[in-house]
Amino acid sequence: MAEIRRPSSSSTVLDTLGEEIVRIITPVSICMFLVVILVSILNTNDSPTISTIANIAYDETTSDSSWDKFLGALLNSLSFVVVVTFTTFFLVLLFYFRCIRFLKLYMAFSSFVVLGFLGGEISVFLIQHFSTPIDCITFSIVLVNFAVVGVCAVFMSKMAIFVTQGYLVVIGILVAYWFTMLPEWTTWAMLVAMALYDLAAVLLPVGPLRLLVELAISRDEEIPALVYEARPVSNDRLDDVAARRRLWRERRIENSNLITENENPVLGGSGLNAEQSHSNQDANAVVSSNSNRSASNLDSSSSYGPCNLVKAEEGRVQVRETDSDLATPLLGHGNVRVPIGEDAASNENLMLEGIGLASSGAIKLGLGDFIFYSVLVGRAAMYDFMTVYACYLAIIAGLGITLMLLAFYQKALPALPVSIALGVLFYFLTRLLLEVFVVQCSLNLLMF
């Protein structure tokens, strides 16, 4: 297991970006590859479509006109996004009221259903396709053990990181394959709609995902969700995470107090109450008690923080007294600096710094991103493998662009929009233009 390394303050963002991208692209590629294999093996022209919440408003048939399919696909995608939005806000409400145990049990039950029922159904398809001899008792025992161990690996106990990662990829594969059984027009409309939803949910101030992340940071709590972690989190860094979050919360309260002071000039220039003065004295005491240790690492002549470090050890918090303390390094960079004295608008952006991937420095990607990436290439595999190659390269390029934007802008960004936009664009360009060109070249014995 590789040790988590952070570059020195003289390194740049791009020094470790390649390694970070490879660590997240590898499981995404494996998930997409296995979905393409399942689609190629199990899906045929006469394969039945499934009835889910994604096609509850309109049931597409081959006899419908293109316009009817388009309108029906829009209606299905709108219904699906509305259901996902209300469900996400409901989960935010449960998290707000600290129903953490219920959320964990719900996630564990969902994982068990996916591994047990969806996994069992796909296993039956594969057994029938390859005519594999197996009895019902053995199959049931293996399936139940597989599902239970998967739930324990993801939620209930701490296992080896590669076991947890493997089960998360399997969950993504199973769900993505079932989504590929939706009608074609509904699938494409749903992909575009979910990319737009992801953009709004993360970036809008009232977006449910943004509210959920802000609430988790303000409470020093982890969000119970299916999230793939590209590398393990060292136990030695857990105190660092808590310290950063405490500092974020204290600075936010401090900024609100300054705003209140400015809006009430009656208080005068030194109009702080006793509680605020006491908290400021405590903060100054903490900083002064660690000034000797931090002086060797901090250049007093610079108004920037070269590296954002907060270390909690034995009840003491070591901080660097700059506004960049609020930023948690995502990719361990050292040259992205935040100047002192920025306005309220930039302070608002600081609230989400360090949350885009993981506050511990590990890259994290939601399992929904795995699923919809794989749905796109799975749907492309139903047409031609040339479109699969094009869509795969487009998705990987979009994911790389998103990770680079995350590294530079240091704020939470959605992972779906860029990759889905490029994937859909390359699919139709390949299907309508490149395939015709390649076929004509092949028929005329031309090579390029």
Side-chain angles (χ1 to χ4, degrees):
M1 187 178 299
E3 181 182 359
I4 297 178
R5 295 179 293 104
R6 289 198 176 276
S8 62
S9 59
S10 60
S11 62
T12 63
V13 178
L14 299 178
D15 288 341
T16 58
L17 188 59
E19 180 183 359
E20 306 289 347
I21 292 178
V22 169
R23 288 188 177 186
I24 202 66
I25 283 179
T26 301
V28 170
S29 301
I30 293 173
C31 185
M32 290 190 288
F33 174 75
L34 293 179
V35 169
V36 169
I37 295 297
L38 287 177
V39 169
S40 303
I41 294 175
L42 300 179
N43 283 40
T44 58
N45 293 330
D46 55 350
S47 297
T49 58
I50 59 174
S51 297
T52 63
I53 195 65
N55 59 344
I56 191 174
Y58 168 74
D59 191 11
E60 181 180 323
T61 59
T62 56
S63 60
D64 294 339
S65 64
S66 298
W67 180 249
D68 291 337
K69 291 179 180 179
F70 177 72
L71 293 180
L74 288 180
L75 190 60
N76 281 335
S77 60
L78 180 62
S79 303
F80 185 73
V81 169
V82 168
V83 172
V84 170
T85 303
F86 276 102
T87 303
T88 309
F89 272 112
F90 179 69
L91 294 178
V92 173
L93 191 64
L94 291 177
F95 189 73
Y96 177 78
F97 288 108
R98 302 183 183 277
C99 301
I100 308 299
R101 184 179 297 274
F102 175 79
L103 288 174
K104 289 183 177 180
L105 291 176
Y106 166 73
M107 293 294 176
F109 176 75
S110 300
S111 302
F112 181 82
V113 169
V114 171
L115 294 172
F117 289 90
L118 296 186
E121 190 85 14
I122 295 175
S123 299
V124 170
F125 291 159
L126 292 174
I127 289 172
Q128 292 176 349
H129 180 81
F130 293 105
S131 301
T132 304
I134 186 172
D135 59 279
C136 296
I137 298 177
T138 302
F139 177 77
S140 301
I141 293 175
V142 172
L143 183 62
V144 170
N145 279 273
F146 175 76
V148 171
V149 172
V151 172
C152 293
V154 176
F155 290 103
M156 301 303 178
S157 62
K158 293 183 178 181
M159 295 188 180
I161 187 67
F162 70 89
V163 177
T164 302
Q165 291 174 339
Y167 269 104
L168 288 172
V169 172
V170 169
I171 293 174
I173 293 170
L174 297 177
V175 177
Y177 173 75
W178 277 97
F179 272 114
T180 59
M181 299 175 67
L182 291 172
E184 182 178 9
W185 288 72
T186 300
T187 303
W188 292 114
M190 182 191 66
L191 288 173
V192 175
M194 286 305 299
L196 296 176
Y197 163 79
D198 196 27
L199 192 68
V202 175
L203 297 183
L204 289 182
V206 294
L209 296 181
R210 177 164 180 164
L211 294 176
L212 189 63
V213 169
E214 288 183 3
L215 189 60
I217 285 189
S218 64
R219 292 179 174 180
D220 298 343
E221 295 177 356
E222 294 291 334
I223 302 175
L226 292 171
V227 179
Y228 180 92
E229 186 173 338
R231 57 185 182 182
V233 179
S234 175
N235 292 331
D236 297 335
R237 305 184 59 84
L238 295 180
D239 290 338
D240 296 352
V241 176
R244 294 188 190 105
R245 290 178 173 175
R246 283 194 299 271
L247 181 62
W248 173 86
R249 187 171 57 251
E250 292 170 1
R251 281 298 182 84
R252 190 177 181 185
I253 296 174
E254 189 176 319
N255 291 337
S256 64
N257 291 336
L258 292 176
I259 293 174
T260 304
E261 179 184 354
N262 293 332
E263 291 179 352
N264 297 277
V266 180
L267 296 178
S270 59
L272 296 175
N273 56 32
E275 182 180 356
Q276 293 173 344
S277 300
H278 180 69
S279 62
N280 290 336
Q281 291 174 1
D282 292 341
N284 293 332
V286 172
V287 174
S288 61
S289 64
N290 297 286
S291 60
N292 293 331
R293 299 184 62 182
S294 62
S296 60
N297 298 324
L298 181 62
D299 185 4
S300 59
S301 63
S302 174
S303 61
Y304 298 87
C307 185
N308 306 311
L309 279 178
V310 182
K311 183 175 182 180
E313 184 180 6
E314 298 177 358
R316 295 176 299 176
V317 181
Q318 300 175 1
V319 300
R320 294 184 177 184
E321 194 63 23
T322 66
D323 283 354
S324 61
D325 288 334
L326 301 181
T328 302
L330 290 178
L331 301 177
H333 64 278
N335 287 348
V336 178
R337 299 176 177 180
V338 181
I340 293 178
E342 292 202 350
D343 54 9
S346 99
N347 285 336
E348 187 70 19
N349 292 332
L350 288 174
M351 291 165 54
L352 283 178
E353 287 188 4
I355 317 165
L357 299 178
S359 56
S360 61
I363 289 186
K364 289 186 178 181
L365 191 65
L367 210 59
D369 302 322
F370 280 74
I371 293 171
F372 291 110
Y373 294 161
S374 303
V375 170
L376 198 154
V377 295
R379 173 53 64 176
M382 295 182 184
Y383 181 75
D384 184 65
F385 278 105
M386 186 184 303
T387 58
V388 173
Y389 303 145
C391 291
Y392 170 77
L393 294 177
I395 289 173
I396 295 303
L399 184 58
I401 292 172
T402 304
L403 291 178
M404 292 184 68
L405 292 176
L406 253 174
F408 284 106
Y409 286 99
Q410 287 290 287
K411 61 193 303 183
L413 294 176
L416 281 182
V418 179
S419 294
I420 295 298
L422 291 178
V424 173
L425 178 64
F426 273 63
Y427 172 81
F428 287 104
L429 289 178
T430 303
R431 182 170 178 174
L432 299 177
L433 300 178
L434 184 60
E435 183 187 23
V436 178
F437 174 74
V438 172
V439 170
Q440 291 299 323
C441 290
S442 301
L443 292 178
N444 292 278
L445 302 179
L446 293 176
M447 300 187 68
F448 59 93

